[in-house]
Amino acid sequence: MISISDRQMSLLGIILISLFTSLFVFFIIWSTIDFPFQDDVDYIRFIYLIKTEGRNFLNSISLFFQLTNDHFILVHRLILFFFYFVFGYLPIDGLIYFNILQLLVIQYLFYLEFKKLKLNILFFLPVILLNFQPQYFEVSTWAGGGLSHITTSLLIFLAVKLSITRKYFLTYLFTVLSTLTFGSGLFAISSVGLSYFFQKKYKPILILVLLLIIYLIIYKINYSPSGRMAEFSTNFYNIFVTFFGLMGGVFSIFDKNGIFLSVGAGIFAFSAFVFLLFKSFFSSSSIRSERIILLSYFSYMAAAIFLIAFVRSSSGPVIVGRFLMFSPFLLTCIYIIMIPYFINSKWIVVTLLLFSLCFSALTYYRYTQVVFDRKNSALANSFNWSNNHVMFNMDPRFVVLSNEFLIPAYQMGIWKVNEMYFPKDTFDTQLKAINLKISNYTQHHLPKDNYFIFQIDAFPSKPSLNNAWFVLFKNKSSGKKFISPVKFYKNGILKFLKTGNYLAPSGLFELQTQQMAPGTFEMFLLGDQNFKINKTLEISLAKNSAIMK
């Protein structure tokens, strides 16, 4: 094995950590579009209500404390109000950048605990590779998901870290803020309480109990049974697989054995947590501060995952989406606590470093296409909504209800659509006509009403992540235009490594004809060049059909 000095290792660690941190930040910025997604529209609604109904002070306060889907989101709303006050409108992309900043702060807090071990910074690289990757893109690239999960995780980390100091007021403040950020924030009370229990400080625990009682009273006052109710699972298998699967969720990256490996890793992580917990309880010596902080922080995520398993797994195990953010964070806690035990084994350390590098590369390979498609869907939504007040990747009923406040809020300047994403009409000039081989993909799957999928079998140019392509539909009678992004297939790993082409020259595009209205549509292809497609689309809502001729 090549021998390098401690100073060289530190320099290598700093370079690699900076490189992969920059890659992650660039990836999120690249994927960000200033357009609301799903629950983001509730943020616009909140500012709209503040502007129209919040002139009375008591009305404003009630709007801030109003429950949303059984959650207090007071801190969300304070952040939204701050952004609106500073910018004069609500920048969705600005909220995502704010979430990136919060993620950086969380990693810095992890580093401060790692630093107490006085180990070479190179050994912190697995933490960066584990946490700064796109597997939990539904949190890192979504304003609403980030404000819910990232903000809560940061506030609880700060509360737990402050709990080992004598700054009791700040500890209680961040604990209360956590409970008022998202539903899982309630576990800040138990996590901070565990920290005080480790330190044998029992009086602060009584104050935490009092805070819990006050919280429950306020929650009861604001709670309305008309809200969306969670469906609790009674299936032990689903709860078991979801709980341990989310704990080891980073291993879901491996397709065929993803659940098996995730559950196995989750069992290992939770077993290590329980072992370290009891070892710390019955230790005759004082417990190191980093162990107190990391075990307490782990307990918050374990409790949050158990709640998710209990209320989300009624129809089957759930090891996907925004809940995957917890897995790398809690595995980081175990890693930092346990690394002193195996630091002298070079082979274990080298294996961990190599695995982390391969894992990071695999996550970018697997999820970049998904994030690219999501970005292009947001771009299409920005065009379709600004021109027709529709969004193809949303339920039509959701769009209709949302437009009740999205349209007046847009007219009031509360939110904006970036018109730079698409230039003004360029179809007055003669476009080159092309023949595209397009087949109806929907017939091979169970179609929803007025929902169709078409496949482009041979694309005219090599697709890349630098350029999005869209199919534009122009109604011959009304002139209304709608666009749908082309979702390209991904090449296999071997072909990608051999050719350097990440995307394959074929893909799908989707239509929600209910939002387009019936008629005959001309078709165009938009990208780095614009083309007229030698086909027309006939839409009939009565027949639930979309036929290309």
Side-chain angles (χ1 to χ4, degrees):
M1 185 177 291
I2 300 174
S3 177
I4 59 176
S5 67
D6 190 68
R7 185 176 180 180
Q8 289 173 322
M9 288 177 61
S10 296
L11 181 60
L12 178 62
I14 292 171
I15 292 173
L16 291 176
I17 287 172
S18 300
L19 176 65
F20 284 101
T21 300
S22 300
L23 173 64
F24 178 75
V25 172
F26 172 78
F27 181 84
I28 302 301
I29 293 174
W30 165 79
S31 67
T32 297
I33 298 299
D34 189 12
F35 193 84
F37 175 71
Q38 291 185 353
D39 292 349
D40 294 345
V41 300
D42 282 338
Y43 296 164
I44 296 171
R45 175 178 175 271
F46 167 72
I47 299 296
Y48 173 71
L49 291 176
I50 287 291
K51 294 281 289 183
T52 57
E53 301 178 11
R55 300 182 186 277
N56 182 286
F57 178 76
L58 291 178
N59 285 347
S60 295
I61 295 299
S62 66
L63 288 172
F64 273 95
F65 280 90
Q66 192 176 70
L67 289 176
T68 298
N69 296 332
D70 299 340
H71 299 283
F72 273 125
I73 59 169
L74 171 65
V75 174
H76 287 62
R77 289 165 176 159
L78 290 173
I79 293 171
L80 298 176
F81 190 78
F82 173 79
F83 270 81
Y84 179 75
F85 179 79
V86 171
F87 294 97
Y89 73 102
L90 194 60
I92 301 299
D93 55 350
L95 296 174
I96 297 175
Y97 300 148
F98 176 70
N99 290 333
I100 298 176
L101 178 61
Q102 292 188 100
L103 280 173
L104 292 171
V105 174
I106 290 174
Q107 303 316 306
Y108 179 69
L109 293 176
F110 274 130
Y111 173 71
L112 291 179
E113 302 312 310
F114 173 84
K115 189 178 179 182
K116 295 175 184 177
L117 303 176
K118 298 181 179 179
L119 297 176
N120 194 289
I121 194 173
L122 179 63
F123 300 123
F124 190 70
L125 178 61
V127 174
I128 295 299
L129 294 172
L130 192 63
N131 292 331
F132 283 164
Q133 43 86 8
Q135 194 175 32
Y136 57 97
F137 68 89
E138 287 194 17
V139 172
S140 58
T141 65
W142 176 19
L147 288 180
S148 297
H149 295 284
I150 299 174
T151 306
T152 305
S153 297
L154 174 58
L155 290 173
I156 293 179
F157 207 152
L158 290 170
V160 169
K161 190 167 179 60
L162 286 165
S163 67
I164 65 168
T165 69
R166 293 185 176 275
K167 299 175 181 178
Y168 295 106
F169 174 77
L170 286 176
T171 302
Y172 298 139
L173 175 62
F174 280 107
T175 301
V176 170
L177 289 175
S178 301
T179 65
L180 299 176
T181 302
F182 197 59
S184 59
L186 183 61
F187 299 120
I189 294 175
S190 59
S191 298
V192 173
L194 179 62
S195 173
Y196 282 135
F197 190 81
F198 277 131
Q199 300 172 68
K200 297 180 172 58
K201 296 179 180 179
Y202 302 116
K203 288 184 179 180
I205 295 178
L206 296 177
I207 297 178
L208 291 172
V209 173
L210 178 61
L211 290 176
L212 175 61
I213 294 172
I214 295 172
Y215 172 89
L216 293 175
I217 292 173
I218 297 175
Y219 187 89
K220 178 65 176 177
I221 293 172
N222 286 273
Y223 181 75
S224 171
S226 61
R228 188 172 66 188
M229 298 292 289
E231 183 179 353
F232 295 104
S233 175
T234 56
N235 187 306
F236 175 78
Y237 172 79
N238 290 346
I239 294 173
F240 178 89
V241 173
T242 300
F243 178 70
F244 289 111
L246 284 177
M247 279 199 168
V250 293
F251 288 92
S252 64
I253 189 73
F254 303 103
D255 288 312
K256 294 182 180 179
N257 300 312
I259 293 180
F260 173 77
L261 292 173
S262 296
V263 172
I267 292 173
F268 166 78
F270 189 70
S271 299
F273 167 72
V274 173
F275 170 77
L276 293 167
L277 199 66
F278 280 97
K279 185 178 180 180
S280 301
F281 279 151
F282 297 106
S283 174
S284 57
S285 58
S286 60
I287 309 171
R288 293 176 62 95
S289 64
E290 71 272 8
R291 178 171 292 196
I292 293 174
I293 292 170
L294 294 172
L295 287 178
S296 299
Y297 193 47
F298 186 108
S299 71
Y300 142 66
M301 291 179 281
I305 289 173
F306 179 76
L307 180 63
I308 292 166
F310 194 53
V311 302
R312 295 278 185 170
S313 64
S314 58
S315 59
V318 179
I319 313 178
V320 294
R322 55 191 180 276
F323 308 129
L324 287 175
M325 189 195 80
F326 292 116
S327 180
F329 285 12
L330 59 83
L331 289 177
T332 293
C333 294
I334 298 298
Y335 171 80
I336 295 176
I337 293 173
M338 296 188 68
I339 190 173
Y341 296 106
F342 55 77
I343 191 65
N344 292 324
S345 175
K346 293 183 179 179
W347 289 111
I348 293 178
V349 172
V350 170
T351 300
L352 280 173
L353 287 171
L354 291 177
F355 174 81
S356 300
L357 287 166
C358 293
F359 167 78
S360 177
L362 186 58
T363 57
Y364 278 101
Y365 166 77
R366 178 168 179 179
Y367 291 103
T368 296
Q369 175 211 24
V370 180
V371 173
F372 184 57
D373 289 343
R374 181 168 169 150
K375 170 186 178 180
N376 294 338
S377 292
L379 284 169
N381 278 345
S382 69
F383 178 92
N384 291 328
W385 194 91
S386 61
N387 285 275
N388 306 290
H389 295 152
V390 301
M391 306 178 210
F392 280 171
N393 68 338
M394 300 287 186
D395 187 293
R397 293 168 297 180
F398 174 84
V399 176
V400 171
L401 292 173
S402 299
N403 280 340
E404 292 180 6
F405 55 86
L406 284 180
I407 293 173
Y410 180 77
Q411 294 169 345
M412 294 169 63
I414 291 174
W415 70 291
K416 299 179 180 180
V417 175
N418 191 338
E419 295 184 358
M420 295 299 293
Y421 292 144
F422 290 94
K424 294 294 183 181
D425 187 75
T426 58
F427 304 102
D428 295 333
T429 58
Q430 188 69 29
L431 296 178
K432 180 181 178 181
I434 60 169
N435 292 309
L436 278 183
K437 185 179 180 182
I438 302 176
S439 56
N440 191 333
Y441 190 78
T442 313
Q443 63 187 354
H444 303 297
H445 299 76
L446 293 175
K448 303 176 185 177
D449 286 343
N450 303 306
Y451 176 78
F452 298 89
I453 304 174
F454 296 91
Q455 177 171 284
I456 300 177
D457 297 313
F459 206 71
S461 63
K462 184 174 73 174
S464 73
L465 297 173
N466 294 325
N467 184 43
W469 288 86
F470 301 87
V471 178
L472 181 141
F473 303 87
K474 182 179 179 180
N475 191 298
K476 281 190 172 182
S477 58
S478 67
K480 287 187 175 182
K481 303 179 183 68
F482 306 83
I483 65 172
S484 178
V486 178
K487 298 180 178 180
F488 292 100
Y489 294 118
K490 178 177 59 184
N491 281 321
I493 293 179
L494 293 179
K495 188 171 184 179
F496 168 52
L497 294 175
K498 183 178 179 180
T499 64
N501 297 327
Y502 178 69
L503 299 175
S506 60
L508 307 171
F509 63 90
E510 304 169 355
L511 291 177
Q512 282 194 13
T513 55
Q514 183 177 342
Q515 298 190 62
M516 295 176 68
T520 302
F521 292 80
E522 294 180 290
M523 297 174 60
F524 301 85
L525 187 64
L526 308 182
D528 55 3
Q529 300 181 65
N530 295 336
F531 301 94
K532 188 178 188 306
I533 301 174
N534 285 334
K535 290 180 183 293
T536 58
L537 179 71
E538 300 282 347
I539 292 178
S540 172
L541 298 182
K543 297 179 180 179
N544 186 27
S545 65
I547 301 172
M548 286 192 186
K549 298 180 179 180

